[in-house]
Amino acid sequence: MKVLLSSIAKNDIRLLMRVFNAEKENKGTDFLDTLQESISQILKHSEASNTEQKEVMVYKTKNFPVHIHYLFENKESLFITAIFKELQQ
């Protein structure tokens, strides 16, 4: 299955990498690793459930306070629309 990123999601990733690198050196790279693992989990779950979703869904990453917003297109591609960081309270 293809993984596609919207231009908004690409910008979100760049911004979050800068934010996490500002917190701690190389934390942006750790974020990218977590993002890749999360996308793999989304793909595994979609293959296992074999259901057709036509609305935007949200996946919360495990190691970072980040939510991935995505949808599936024609069972051929995973389209990531945006990536949001949780607000600190």
Side-chain angles (χ1 to χ4, degrees), residues 8-74:
I8 293 170
K10 289 177 187 177
N11 288 333
D12 292 342
I13 292 169
R14 288 184 195 110
L15 175 64
L16 289 170
M17 283 191 65
R18 285 193 297 257
V19 167
F20 290 128
N21 276 331
E23 291 176 8
K24 182 181 173 188
E25 189 175 341
N26 294 325
K27 193 171 180 182
T29 304
D30 295 339
F31 164 67
L32 279 181
D33 292 340
T34 296
L35 187 62
Q36 288 177 332
E37 290 171 19
S38 298
I39 291 170
S40 293
Q41 289 299 317
I42 292 168
L43 291 171
K44 284 179 188 176
H45 178 73
S46 73
E47 291 172 0
S49 66
N50 203 15
T51 58
E52 189 171 329
Q53 298 285 336
K54 300 214 180 224
E55 58 190 51
V56 174
M57 294 175 281
V58 179
Y59 181 89
K60 184 181 180 327
T61 61
K62 293 181 181 173
N63 299 328
F64 286 85
V66 173
H67 294 261
I68 302 169
H69 292 242
Y70 66 95
L71 56 91
F72 292 98
E73 296 180 330
N74 303 327

